[in-house]
């Protein structure tokens, strides 16, 4: 079990004997560990300082470190992809043998909703034109733009 252990970094917990649960390894990462996801023996740890660290859970070694530019709030791994909420962005990465490659970025509005996909081939912060409320389809899935409506 991988645990985001705040200032202590990444804790790997041995659960093989439930009567004698223990910390198998602890890896200090230089900032508060805020979120963690695991897949295929690899831990993806989001840090308060805006970094995402990839750790091999068997050898307890860091294999990659990315600077995302904003505090990492959440990390989720599924299939060949990793999704990260960092600062005011929602990012996707492809995962090949634990190594991450950027796929896309979606800016988040102040209230946390998606405001539109950001293309990696456009200037920083440039959004692809979209029609609010209409899904924007990409080769890696669907990102839905949302309008916020207040009830009366």
């Amino acid at each position: 079990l991988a645990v985001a252990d705040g200032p202590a970094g990444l804790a790997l917990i041995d659960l093989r004997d439930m009567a004698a649960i223990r910390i198998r390894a602890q890896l200090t990462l230089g900032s508060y560990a805020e979120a963690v996801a695991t897949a295929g023996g690899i831990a993806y740890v989001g840090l308060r300082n805006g970094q995402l660290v990839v750790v091999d859970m068997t050898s307890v070694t860091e294999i990659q470190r990315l600077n995302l530019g904003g505090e990492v709030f959440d990390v989720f791994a599924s299939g060949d992809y990793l999704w990260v909420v960092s600062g005011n962005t929602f990012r996707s990465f492809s995962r090949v043998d634990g190594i991450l490659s950027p796929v896309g970025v979606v800016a988040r509005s102040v209230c946390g909703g998606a405001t539109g996909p950001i293309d990696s081939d456009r200037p920083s912060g440039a959004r692809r034109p979209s029609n609010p409320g209409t899904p924007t389809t990409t080769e890696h899935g669907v990102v839905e733009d949302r309008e916020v409506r207040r009830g009366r």
Side-chain angles (χ1 to χ4, degrees), residues 35-51:
V36 66
T38 62
I42 303 292
Y44 302 91
V45 187
L47 304 180
R48 184 175 289 174
N49 69 359
Q51 295 181 337

Side-chain angles (χ1 to χ4, degrees), residues 117-137:
I118 297 176
D119 288 333
S120 58
D121 62 341
R122 293 180 184 245
S124 178
R127 288 183 180 79
R128 183 181 316 142
S130 63
N131 198 357
T134 304
T136 303
T137 306

Side-chain angles (χ1 to χ4, degrees), residues 4 12 26 59 67 70 72 84 88 90 97 101 103-105 108-109 114 119 127 139 146:
L12 299 177
Q26 189 86 44
S59 64
N67 187 358
V72 177
V84 180
N88 65 351
F90 180 71
D97 297 327
S101 297
V103 173
V105 177
R108 297 181 330 127
S109 69
D119 288 333
R127 288 183 180 79
E139 64 184 288
R146 289 184 252 162

Side-chain angles (χ1 to χ4, degrees), residues 43-109:
Y44 302 91
V45 187
L47 304 180
R48 184 175 289 174
N49 69 359
Q51 295 181 337
L52 180 64
V53 182
V54 181
V55 176
D56 181 297
M57 291 171 48
T58 302
S59 64
V60 194
T61 56
E62 182 180 319
I63 56 178
Q64 187 179 15
R65 185 177 288 249
L66 302 169
N67 187 358
L68 304 181
E71 180 176 352
V72 177
F73 299 108
D74 205 359
V75 181
F76 178 74
S78 180
D80 294 333
Y81 295 95
L82 182 80
W83 290 272
V84 180
V85 177
S86 172
N88 65 351
T89 62
F90 180 71
R91 299 170 180 267
S92 61
F93 297 87
S94 65
R95 299 181 313 105
V96 177
D97 297 327
I99 301 299
L100 300 176
S101 297
V103 173
V105 177
V106 175
R108 297 181 330 127
S109 69

